[in-house]
Amino acid sequence: MSNSPSAADPPAPATSGRLPSPPPPGRGPDALPGPLPDSVCPVDGTRVPAASLDWCCPRCRGPLDLDFHGRPADLDALTGRVNSLWRYAETLPLAAPAVSLGEGRTPLVALTDTVSAKLDFLMPTLSFKDRGAVLLAELARRLGPERVLADSSGNAGTAIAAYCARAGLPCTVYVPAATSPKKLEQIAAHGARLETVDGDRQATALAARAAADAPGTFYASHVHNPYFLHGTKTYVHELWEDLGGHLPERLVVPVGNGTLLLGAALALTELHTAGLLPRRPRLIAVQSAAVAPLARAWQEGAEDLLDDTPASPTLAEGIAIPRPPRARQILRAVRESGGEFRTVTEPQIRTAQRDLATRGFYVETTGVACWAAVREEEAGASTVVPLCGAGVKTGVGGCRGAGLGFLPRPHCFLA
């Protein structure tokens, strides 16, 4: 594109008080990334130049990885840095952001003697998707496309819309027709144009991908664009810092497209390679029993999705993904960690949401899946679950039909 800068162009000058601090003493000027890294296809090795707007491998049409290897700073070097995810500058492929909303550094709170929750619903747009969205918006700002396009069941679209608004970029978000009304309202409030698609999450993704091939389009795909995963990995870097250079025995993660799990796997590799993490935790992947293609493949010992997996409506709309494009990577990451897949039922989701509310946490129905998967266990291995999205996004699970929206009935929690 003629309006795209070279990958070697320096970052835009700082315009906000919420920016990474300079490299700490002793790290040297190369502690922060320089030119943008190229992308590479994990299947056939095809390279995509950093300044390209190609959103997938031009040969196999699969998602891309980033040719970037972060080098985490040690604990002492983090002291006094900006209180956002940008404090982990050595691990991020972009430096000096202009679009930050202060994302990251969410609290870690005990639920039981052995299970703690990381409150990612306290992000600027009320979900963990801000971690990846800020990197996509910052990348788009630097590449200078004519338009930004995204697809989502709600939270990723909201996050992309908010950060595009911050960056002054026109944005269109494709959503399934059954998306929660409050999520649609939030996306529109940020000035994004909504494209509603009849059908499920897969149909929405296909419609968006067809539009993404138009010239001048930056496809802010939280699935295909690897920058998103390098944002979500800060979830684990924060845990590692907050736990004094350690991690729990288990990280329990909700999985639809697998963006949080794959980001977590990236961070674990970075910390282990740097000699900062002697033992990696097991990754416990959680899916809704109603839409569980990865869990079924896991049970069958498969390395990829099976040909056909039945799907039903679910309250966990954010992880209702029948054909996740990064399935092979997700299955491999769980396997290599010594982890496993679990599924949760609709009654378990409703019960977990209400249980968390009685503890003071109002979390959306997708965001409670991990707590639903472990809440009835006897005390055992140290565990962290993410509470990924705020309850105001979907309402109470017992008061809504799957995909029909929230019916505001005050007695819902008394059922």
Side-chain angles (χ1 to χ4, degrees):
M1 289 183 55
S2 59
N3 62 342
S4 296
S6 165
D9 283 352
T15 59
S16 165
R18 292 185 177 272
L19 297 173
S21 56
R27 296 291 294 184
D30 62 342
L32 294 179
L36 298 179
D38 289 344
S39 296
V40 61
C41 176
V43 175
D44 56 39
T46 300
R47 298 187 70 84
V48 176
S52 171
L53 291 178
D54 288 346
W55 57 269
C56 64
C57 174
R59 292 179 61 187
C60 72
R61 303 288 287 179
L64 297 168
D65 287 345
L66 206 58
D67 188 7
F68 173 81
H69 305 283
R71 297 178 298 164
D74 59 32
L75 281 177
D76 291 341
L78 296 174
T79 301
R81 294 194 182 186
V82 62
N83 191 35
S84 74
L85 62 80
W86 296 97
R87 69 194 283 108
Y88 309 108
E90 294 88 347
T91 71
L92 297 174
L94 293 169
V99 300
S100 176
L101 292 169
E103 54 287 330
R105 303 297 294 143
T106 53
L108 183 66
V109 180
L111 294 177
T112 70
D113 290 340
T114 56
V115 180
S116 295
K118 188 160 175 59
L119 311 187
D120 262 26
F121 68 89
L122 297 180
M123 287 284 195
T125 75
L126 308 181
S127 90
F128 86 94
K129 296 291 176 63
D130 291 2
R131 294 185 182 276
V134 65
L135 266 74
L136 293 187
E138 180 63 28
L139 177 62
R141 186 187 69 82
R142 298 185 190 199
L143 296 181
E146 296 173 19
R147 69 192 68 81
V148 176
L149 183 150
D151 61 283
S152 170
S153 59
N155 285 340
T158 295
I160 296 296
Y163 284 96
C164 281
R166 178 77 164 169
L169 295 169
C171 179
T172 299
V173 180
Y174 286 68
V175 295
T179 300
S180 299
K182 286 297 180 183
K183 292 182 180 181
L184 299 179
E185 180 181 318
Q186 192 178 4
I187 293 170
H190 292 304
R193 183 165 67 92
L194 281 164
E195 289 285 349
T196 303
V197 178
D198 290 332
D200 61 10
R201 184 66 183 81
Q202 183 70 11
T204 302
L206 292 175
R209 291 169 199 167
D213 287 328
T217 301
F218 178 91
Y219 182 25
S221 170
H222 59 293
V223 181
H224 285 79
N225 193 308
Y227 278 83
F228 196 92
L229 305 181
H230 285 267
T232 60
K233 73 183 179 185
T234 59
Y235 172 89
V236 167
H237 284 293
E238 289 177 17
L239 284 176
W240 176 81
E241 181 184 1
D242 289 343
L243 294 174
H246 301 280
L247 285 173
E249 296 170 82
R250 302 186 307 177
L251 294 175
V252 185
V253 186
V255 175
N257 277 310
T259 55
L260 183 54
L261 184 140
L262 291 174
L266 281 173
L268 296 178
T269 297
E270 290 175 348
L271 290 165
H272 183 74
T273 301
L276 299 173
L277 185 68
R279 175 191 52 79
R280 304 191 202 197
R282 287 176 284 142
L283 296 173
I284 310 300
V286 180
Q287 294 207 286
S288 165
V291 187
L294 291 160
R296 183 171 177 232
W298 176 267
Q299 291 166 358
E300 296 294 328
E303 295 185 356
D304 204 342
L305 298 175
L306 303 177
D307 289 339
D308 184 38
T309 300
S312 304
T314 178
L315 294 166
E317 62 185 4
I319 53 174
I321 311 297
R323 305 292 298 179
R326 293 188 185 267
R328 290 182 67 89
Q329 291 178 303
I330 297 166
L331 290 162
R332 183 171 64 249
V334 174
R335 187 178 300 110
E336 291 178 351
S337 78
E340 63 182 8
F341 277 81
R342 298 185 182 185
T343 60
V344 291
T345 65
E346 302 304 290
Q348 285 178 304
I349 292 170
R350 287 192 292 268
T351 300
Q353 188 187 36
R354 297 177 190 194
D355 178 52
L356 284 170
T358 66
R359 299 166 184 260
F361 307 106
Y362 189 34
V363 184
E364 69 166 334
T365 44
T366 300
V368 306
C370 291
W371 177 234
V374 302
R375 63 181 291 271
E376 295 181 352
E377 289 182 339
E378 298 291 336
S382 58
T383 301
V384 171
V385 300
L387 303 184
C388 296
V392 294
K393 287 173 170 282
T394 60
V396 182
C399 292
R400 58 190 295 272
L404 298 179
F406 174 48
L407 302 177
R409 298 173 184 168
H411 64 270
C412 288
F413 278 111
L414 302 177

